[in-house]
Amino acid sequence: MKQKQLGLFSLMAAVVGTIVGGAAFNLPSDMAAAAGSGPVILAWVITGLGMLALAMVFRNLSLRKRELSGGIYSYARAGFGPFIGFSSAWGYWIASILGIVAFVTLFFQTLRFFSPLFGQGDNLPSLVGGIAFVLFFHWLVARGIKEAAIINIMTTVAKLIPILIFLIIVAAAFKRDVFMADLWGSGSFSWQSVGQQVKDTMLVTLWAFVGIEGAIVLSGRAKRAKDVGVATIVGLLGTLAIYLLISVLSTGILSQAELAALPEPSMAYVLKAIVGPWGAVLIVIGLLVSISGGMLSWYLVTVEIPYVAAQDGVFPDRFAQVNRQGTPMVSLWWSTGITLLFTGLVYVSASTYQKVYSMASVAILIPYLLSALYQVKLALVGETYLKDGRRTRDLLIGALATGYSLWTLYAAGLTYLLMVSVVYAVGMVLYLWVRRGQEQSMRKWDWIVAGIIVVAALVALGGGMV
């Protein structure tokens, strides 16, 4: 039985900790590489509305379906059956692991600021350091979920301090003429150009908000169920304000071309342009702290997913085993093992931080979409709405969250969808093994979905995309 260990601040730290990782510190160049000042603002407005709708979906489902303490995995299973539920859990688990790998890659890319030893984060010293980095967080989480959550609160506060200093200094140095010079990116305004620029930023803005469901995944450990929704909404709104300010204020310091050409972490070089080298050092240290905190938040979420799925009989039973501190140790060991495997593959393939986080973002969009669809389903059939006048409102929110998820999948492009299909295809082997001998383990529509995933995976493998 889960221990109810996490209060409101721990849950908020889980949300902010998983959202504010490495992405925030490279927003100036990531956004400028795709869009001018105006489209950047529009992209954040669209992402903000879409993510707010998703956050409200998560909050609503956490209150109306309190028995589904596994969060987005549980919603997919309750709404669309065991196979879709398993696929959601598996995809989210692997996406979380890819998120951890992205943090490891960025951590050692960032260390090159102080030493050339680690190159671009894809050489042998980075691989050895990455393995030690992952094993350290394995040890930390093994000591107990509550203890790790306390440390996560501390790192969350620590990572926000350099960001706030950056925002104050950049706001004071903001130049309106620099901001207006690249307002629409290509000079004159055109809807086609603006639309394309907004579309090209979607994976960046999505990755910046991946982790919004952190409190939902840990809801089974919350002291009070109502804290889950509060932590999700507050964490989202606060983070949205920070991201919007980082992106927009930076366009008033350097031109779009200058921002796009900055190395990682670009926030450091924006601040360096204003105050000199000490500003870059401050941001780089903040990024290293942020990545460390993000790693811990992601680890807390990652080990919880197979644990909850095992309790529901979808993952093997042994994933539900815990140690004396209440940590799911089998889940932790498997999560660490796969993380180390992927870390090695990144080293062999020389994959970039952007490629890894793009795959993680697309993989996690599927569980987001299924959660939004479950909200729509509940509102349509009226379940939990017998004497509740909020049915129409929740239907509209669910539809908005569904539309945003579909739009972002489209914006991601076919290549990443095909690459992610390989991840989901591998998961089906585990599902069939766990469900062997059980009647009706796969329904007609399940087989159709499985067939589509397999075909997409074969196309990806045949095209050398993975």
Side-chain angles (χ1 to χ4, degrees):
M1 183 178 179
K2 294 182 187 178
Q3 302 176 40
K4 306 292 184 177
Q5 302 167 316
L6 306 183
L8 176 60
F9 287 106
S10 293
L11 293 170
M12 287 178 62
V15 175
V16 177
T18 46
I19 295 178
V20 182
F25 292 82
N26 210 46
L27 281 177
S29 61
D30 281 349
M31 296 299 284
S37 310
V40 163
I41 295 174
L42 290 176
W44 283 118
V45 170
I46 292 171
T47 301
L49 290 174
M51 281 295 173
L52 181 60
L54 278 169
M56 293 178 71
V57 164
F58 293 143
R59 177 182 181 275
N60 185 53
L61 292 176
S62 71
L63 294 174
R64 292 185 178 275
K65 288 289 183 177
R66 295 187 179 186
E67 70 276 15
L68 302 179
S69 59
I72 58 179
Y73 146 70
S74 305
Y75 303 148
R77 184 172 186 268
F80 309 104
F83 174 67
I84 299 299
F86 169 85
S87 297
S88 179
W90 171 266
Y92 185 67
W93 185 36
I94 299 301
S96 300
I97 290 173
L98 285 171
I100 293 173
V101 174
F103 281 129
V104 174
T105 304
L106 182 59
F107 187 88
F108 287 95
Q109 283 182 356
T110 303
L111 284 179
R112 70 183 176 183
F113 182 87
F114 298 111
S115 170
L117 174 65
F118 298 102
Q120 300 295 318
D122 57 359
N123 57 10
L124 186 58
S126 296
L127 175 62
V128 175
I131 292 172
F133 198 47
V134 171
L135 291 176
F136 169 74
F137 284 95
H138 173 102
W139 170 81
L140 200 60
V141 174
R143 290 175 59 86
I145 299 294
K146 182 179 180 180
E147 288 72 15
I150 292 172
I151 296 173
N152 190 43
I153 293 176
M154 297 168 61
T155 58
T156 299
V157 173
K159 78 172 68 173
L160 292 178
I161 292 174
I163 292 177
L164 293 177
I165 293 174
F166 172 88
L167 292 177
I168 292 170
I169 295 175
V170 174
F174 183 81
K175 301 180 182 67
R176 184 177 181 275
D177 57 332
V178 176
F179 171 79
M180 296 299 295
D182 295 313
L183 186 59
W184 301 114
S186 58
S188 60
F189 175 87
S190 79
W191 282 113
Q192 182 178 1
S193 173
V194 170
Q196 185 61 46
Q197 290 179 71
V198 170
K199 177 176 176 288
D200 291 343
T201 65
M202 284 296 101
L203 271 184
V204 177
T205 57
L206 172 65
W207 172 242
F209 276 108
V210 165
I212 188 178
E213 70 291 339
I216 305 297
V217 176
L218 296 171
S219 60
R221 298 182 184 272
K223 293 178 180 178
R224 295 175 298 274
K226 66 178 182 179
D227 288 347
V228 175
V230 174
T232 301
I233 299 296
V234 173
L236 166 70
L237 294 177
T239 306
L240 175 60
I242 290 172
Y243 286 165
L244 183 60
L245 288 172
I246 290 173
S247 302
V248 174
L249 291 177
S250 296
T251 61
I253 304 299
L254 300 173
S255 69
Q256 181 184 354
E258 289 172 326
L259 288 172
L262 292 178
E264 298 169 348
S266 56
M267 265 181 65
Y269 296 94
V270 172
L271 194 57
K272 181 181 179 181
I274 302 171
V275 301
W278 74 262
V281 173
L282 173 68
I283 297 301
V284 169
I285 292 174
L287 174 56
L288 295 175
V289 173
S290 182
I291 294 172
S292 301
M295 279 277 291
L296 183 54
S297 293
W298 276 96
Y299 243 110
L300 290 172
V301 170
T302 299
V303 300
E304 193 77 1
I305 300 161
Y307 170 60
V308 174
Q311 290 182 318
D312 288 341
V314 175
F315 268 44
D317 293 342
R318 64 179 58 190
F319 279 89
Q321 296 175 6
V322 299
N323 63 8
R324 287 182 294 179
Q325 288 74 33
T327 301
M329 287 306 298
V330 175
S331 176
L332 177 59
W333 275 110
W334 273 94
S335 297
T336 297
I338 298 175
T339 299
L340 292 175
L341 173 63
F342 283 0
T343 300
L345 291 175
V346 167
Y347 165 70
V348 171
S349 64
S351 295
T352 63
Y353 165 67
Q354 286 82 3
K355 184 175 181 180
V356 177
Y357 83 59
S358 295
M359 284 189 63
S361 299
V362 173
I364 215 166
L365 263 176
I366 307 300
Y368 283 2
L369 175 60
L370 291 170
S371 297
L373 288 171
Y374 183 49
Q375 168 71 80
V376 171
K377 180 180 178 180
L378 286 183
L380 285 175
V381 302
E383 185 180 349
T384 75
Y385 290 92
L386 295 178
K387 295 181 180 180
D388 194 325
R390 299 176 180 176
R391 183 173 172 182
T392 301
R393 184 205 67 175
D394 289 349
L395 177 60
L396 291 175
I397 291 172
L400 178 60
T402 299
Y404 170 72
S405 300
L406 290 172
W407 154 252
T408 310
L409 280 172
Y410 162 72
L414 184 60
T415 298
Y416 282 115
L417 280 172
L418 292 175
M419 291 169 63
V420 166
S421 69
V422 177
V423 171
Y424 279 88
V426 171
M428 289 192 299
V429 177
L430 177 61
Y431 176 78
L432 292 174
W433 180 75
V434 173
R435 304 280 294 186
R436 66 192 185 282
Q438 299 184 26
E439 295 182 3
Q440 297 181 340
S441 61
M442 296 276 284
R443 300 171 299 180
K444 177 182 177 181
W445 282 107
D446 293 336
W447 284 112
I448 293 174
V449 171
I452 294 172
I453 293 173
V454 169
V455 170
L458 291 174
V459 171
L461 293 171
M465 299 178 187
V466 180

